[in-house]
Amino acid sequence: MKALTWHGTRDVRVDEVPDPRIEAPTDAIVRITSTAICGSDLHLYEVLGPYLKPGDILGHEPMGIVEEVGSGVTRLKPGDRVVVPFNIACGHCWMCERQLFAQCETTQVTAEGKGASLFGYTSLYGSVPGGQAEYLRVPQAQFGPITIPQTGADERYLYLSDILPTAWQAVKYADAPPGGTLAVFGLGPVGQFCARIGRHLGAGRVIGLDLVPERLEMARRHGIETLDVSQLDDVPGTLIDLVDGRGPDAVIDAVGMEAHGSTSGKLAQHAAGLLPDKLADKMIDKVGVDRLTVLKAALKAVRRGGTVSISGVYGGEVDPMPLMEMFDRGIQLRMGQCHVRRWTDEILPLLSGDDDPLGVEDLRTHRMPLVDAPKAYEMFQKKSDGCVKVVLAP
């Protein structure tokens, strides 16, 4: 089969690789019909190379048709149409019973001290082959895959794999009061959905911040108030002034470790990437730093007693945080990988009707064949050609 494989920093290729096969009774094989590029994939494209090896198959936002199931999978059958969550959870361990599916004890990568295994996402998370491919082996298929209607465009449901429940969790964690104000830093795909979900769940005012014109325009189409941060000298101060001199009730950081404007963090990440892999692994794991411009702005902008919710991926171990200010202002901080299956039953009814309350059909800007995935990665990283979200068709 054809699959997108990693070969080095900013070097991904579509190669011929062996077809996946059933390896355990709880496996399923899914023929992929659509698979998206996530902002988290760009971290692999750029800074997390030390945890990859040439030939690793990328991708964790897939959906398709079940082709085969193992003997332990009774809830699926060949022909079922499914979306595959990015984290791999068993559904029955201590963590899963508490709906902490991103911490599943059956698939935890204990050797690396990490949570549940993820599709297509480095040795830190199990080196499980990903879904930017023609076929995907799905472990723990007795629980993970989400069965969806046979009709309707793929993009009605595709985002259930990651970014839609990720945004839903971010908004739930932000816990803005009814009629309150929610600010969203970063209007990439997750940030777009955070802003729309915030409005849907009752925020009276949603303010989205970014510097990419196409992202700002997309948010405005959905009734989101926007700020172009490239035009602001003091982002936190502007937000505080805009919201009663106090600041938003809740702020979401939907950007993460590669934020613009963090020169020292960018240099540190680049330097680690130049080291031999074994040394780079240790450096990133023990003394890694992130680009914290957005997170610090979020912490300074939220009102006293407010909440900052982090959905953007961070990987640093020695990040300096303004703890005195956070403590003095009584800020609550919530974060973590999304527990996808915790939220999908709430979201699915919003996707199945004739209306489109979350605007899922207005997110993808480019649909491209899988063979063009290397071009798509470059375009998505550079934010060229108005790119906000890419969906690949194997």
Side-chain angles (χ1 to χ4, degrees), residues 247-390:
D249 299 291
V251 177
I252 294 173
D253 172 1
V255 179
M257 66 166 71
E258 294 187 80
H260 289 275
S262 303
T263 304
S264 59
K266 182 176 182 179
L267 288 173
Q269 290 173 347
H270 180 68
L274 296 176
L275 296 170
D277 283 355
K278 290 296 184 184
L279 184 56
D281 286 356
K282 293 179 181 178
M283 181 176 177
I284 294 171
D285 187 47
K286 301 300 182 185
V287 295
V289 296
D290 295 303
R291 307 184 206 172
L292 297 177
T293 303
V294 166
L295 180 55
K296 288 183 175 179
L299 292 166
K300 290 179 180 295
V302 72
R303 67 159 169 81
R304 288 178 177 269
T307 300
V308 173
S309 171
I310 305 174
S311 64
V313 174
Y314 284 95
E317 285 284 337
V318 293
D319 293 332
M321 298 286 285
L323 287 173
M324 181 176 71
E325 185 170 7
M326 293 165 64
F327 182 86
D328 174 70
R329 298 178 65 226
I331 293 170
Q332 301 178 77
L333 196 60
R334 297 196 71 181
M335 69 193 82
Q337 297 279 12
C338 178
H339 308 295
V340 174
R341 287 299 307 276
R342 179 174 179 176
W343 311 109
T344 51
D345 287 348
E346 293 182 40
I347 301 170
L348 191 54
L350 301 175
L351 308 178
S352 303
D354 293 333
D355 58 351
D356 184 13
L358 302 182
V360 295
E361 293 183 351
D362 182 27
L363 184 73
R364 186 265 297 160
T365 52
H366 295 75
R367 186 173 179 90
M368 303 171 68
L370 179 65
V371 293
D372 288 340
K375 296 178 185 176
Y377 265 75
E378 182 179 10
M379 177 178 62
F380 190 29
Q381 186 194 46
K382 293 180 177 178
K383 304 176 182 67
S384 59
D385 196 35
C387 183
V388 176
K389 184 67 173 178
V390 181

Side-chain angles (χ1 to χ4, degrees), residues 26-39:
T26 52
D27 286 351
I29 303 298
V30 174
R31 174 174 56 84
I32 302 303
T33 57
S34 291
T35 182
I37 302 176
C38 181

Side-chain angles (χ1 to χ4, degrees), residues 88-107 116 140 143 339 342:
I88 303 169
C90 71
H92 57 73
C93 69
W94 191 92
M95 288 289 182
C96 287
E97 286 178 347
R98 288 153 181 80
Q99 295 190 305
L100 298 172
F101 301 119
Q103 307 300 334
C104 173
E105 291 181 328
T106 301
T107 74
Q140 304 299 326
F143 175 73
H339 308 295
R342 179 174 179 176

Side-chain angles (χ1 to χ4, degrees), residues 37-110:
I37 302 176
C38 181
S40 297
D41 289 326
L42 296 184
H43 303 322
L44 310 183
Y45 193 62
E46 190 70 43
V47 303
L48 293 180
Y51 294 105
L52 292 161
K53 62 183 185 299
D56 280 353
I57 301 173
L58 305 183
H60 58 267
E61 295 188 1
M63 66 174 289
I65 306 299
V66 175
E67 294 283 299
E68 184 182 359
V69 297
S71 60
V73 180
T74 58
R75 55 180 290 270
L76 299 176
K77 65 183 183 303
D80 283 348
R81 189 183 187 204
V82 296
V83 176
V84 182
F86 76 96
N87 41 27
I88 303 169
C90 71
H92 57 73
C93 69
W94 191 92
M95 288 289 182
C96 287
E97 286 178 347
R98 288 153 181 80
Q99 295 190 305
L100 298 172
F101 301 119
Q103 307 300 334
C104 173
E105 291 181 328
T106 301
T107 74
Q108 272 182 20
V109 188
T110 54

Side-chain angles (χ1 to χ4, degrees), residues 163-164 167-168 171 192-202 358:
I163 59 173
L164 195 51
W168 193 276
V171 173
Q192 295 286 340
F193 279 149
C194 285
R196 301 173 199 181
I197 291 166
R199 283 176 55 87
H200 178 77
L201 293 181
L358 302 182

Side-chain angles (χ1 to χ4, degrees), residues 103-162:
Q103 307 300 334
C104 173
E105 291 181 328
T106 301
T107 74
Q108 272 182 20
V109 188
T110 54
E112 298 289 349
K114 297 295 184 286
S117 297
L118 310 179
F119 286 102
Y121 217 82
T122 80
S123 59
L124 290 175
Y125 289 98
S127 293
V128 181
Q132 289 168 2
E134 293 182 304
Y135 293 90
L136 175 68
R137 181 180 72 89
V138 181
Q140 304 299 326
Q142 82 288 347
F143 175 73
I146 305 155
T147 304
I148 59 170
Q150 291 287 350
T151 59
D154 275 11
E155 286 156 46
R156 269 281 171 145
Y157 303 100
L158 174 62
Y159 308 127
L160 282 172
S161 58
D162 179 354

Side-chain angles (χ1 to χ4, degrees), residues 166-184:
T166 290
W168 193 276
Q169 176 173 294
V171 173
K172 289 283 192 174
Y173 279 9
D175 196 27
T181 299
L182 171 69
V184 180

